[in-house]
Amino acid sequence: MPIDLHTHSTASDGTQPPAEVVASALAAGLDVVGLTDHDTTAGWDEASAAAVELGLDLVRGIEVSCQHDGISIHLLAYLPDPTSPGLLEEINRSRESRETRAKRMVEALSEDLPITYEEVLAQTQPGTSLGRPHIADALVAKGLVRSRGHAFSRYLHHDSPYYMRYYAPDPIRAVQVVVEAGGVPVMAHPFAYKRGLVVHDEVIEAMAHAGLAGLEVYHRDHLDPDDPDDAGVDTVRRGLALARQLGLFVTGSSDYHGAGKVNRLGEHTTDPAVLQQIEERATGVPVVRQ
């Protein structure tokens, strides 16, 4: 039973509508797919209808944006109640802050590049959770960069003069509101050094004490000792050891974004026994079954 619990649609920074993500998951040979757009549940209904129609199980989730001491952390919330007040407050505040951040970044970019906020909005769908990938898409559309990756490496990275912060809850608070919403919190790509700074293990330990249930250990952005570019560092082994120490389960996922990233559906998967644990813990919403 191939299970991929981390994908994105046009409801956030993916390039495919939710129904197409589900169809692509089926074509990739998956039996279960998780839709986890950033700070939104806007894609849930469309993905659910597609899953029932196509005969695929759907795990509804959210990737909650968090920050600790200026370091970005992503928390996967599986099967939460989308109407839970605490969760709603945090993701709505993050989304609103993302929008104002995008405006400020575009204003700064427009001093040096021919780009407008309206051109960024043209890269989104109604209700999209706005982020830097949409600014990147606008830069691509204007012919100013070759790709999203080129836009990030040249203009949108964390050390860029155009980069600006936005509100995101502390991960302890995020874990708490996910648990309050009946969801199951799993830390996404906790050791993704390829993206920048990561938090110390003590932060993950504190998240575990607050109710963190799992670590997404098998992920493309984790370092591989067999890859010469990763200098022989094995963050997968580190993740497995920490999960054992803290009593957390382990997941594997693609973090699929359609054409927005090279990540392939099903390139990392989650054990069916772990999905069973997620279902047993969740009291928010059920898995959408065939």
Side-chain angles (χ1 to χ4, degrees), residues 5 34-37 39-42 44-45 48 58-64 75-88 91 174-186 278-279 281-288:
L5 294 180
L35 183 69
T36 52
D37 281 308
D39 302 314
T40 185
T41 61
W44 280 17
D45 288 348
S48 297
L58 175 71
V59 176
R60 292 169 285 181
I62 309 166
E63 188 166 13
V64 182
L75 184 72
L76 295 161
Y78 292 120
L79 305 175
D81 176 359
T83 67
S84 178
L87 181 61
L88 268 178
I91 63 175
V175 167
Q176 291 169 342
V177 299
V178 170
V179 172
E180 289 169 5
V184 182
V186 174
I278 292 172
E279 289 194 72
R281 289 174 182 242
T283 59
V285 297
V287 172
V288 176

Side-chain angles (χ1 to χ4, degrees), residues 157-228:
H157 57 86
H158 286 86
D159 295 324
S160 165
Y162 306 111
Y163 179 81
M164 298 180 187
R165 297 190 182 279
Y166 66 98
Y167 170 79
D170 182 85
I172 305 300
R173 168 63 178 163
V175 167
Q176 291 169 342
V177 299
V178 170
V179 172
E180 289 169 5
V184 182
V186 174
M187 189 176 183
H189 40 72
F191 309 118
Y193 288 97
K194 296 178 181 181
R195 299 183 178 209
L197 294 175
V198 303
V199 295
H200 295 296
D201 290 358
E202 289 79 6
V203 176
I204 303 175
E205 292 174 16
M207 293 169 67
H209 290 310
L212 183 71
L215 294 180
E216 186 184 58
V217 173
Y218 299 105
H219 188 281
R220 167 184 288 268
D221 289 345
H222 282 172
L223 301 179
D224 180 353
D226 296 324
D227 186 339

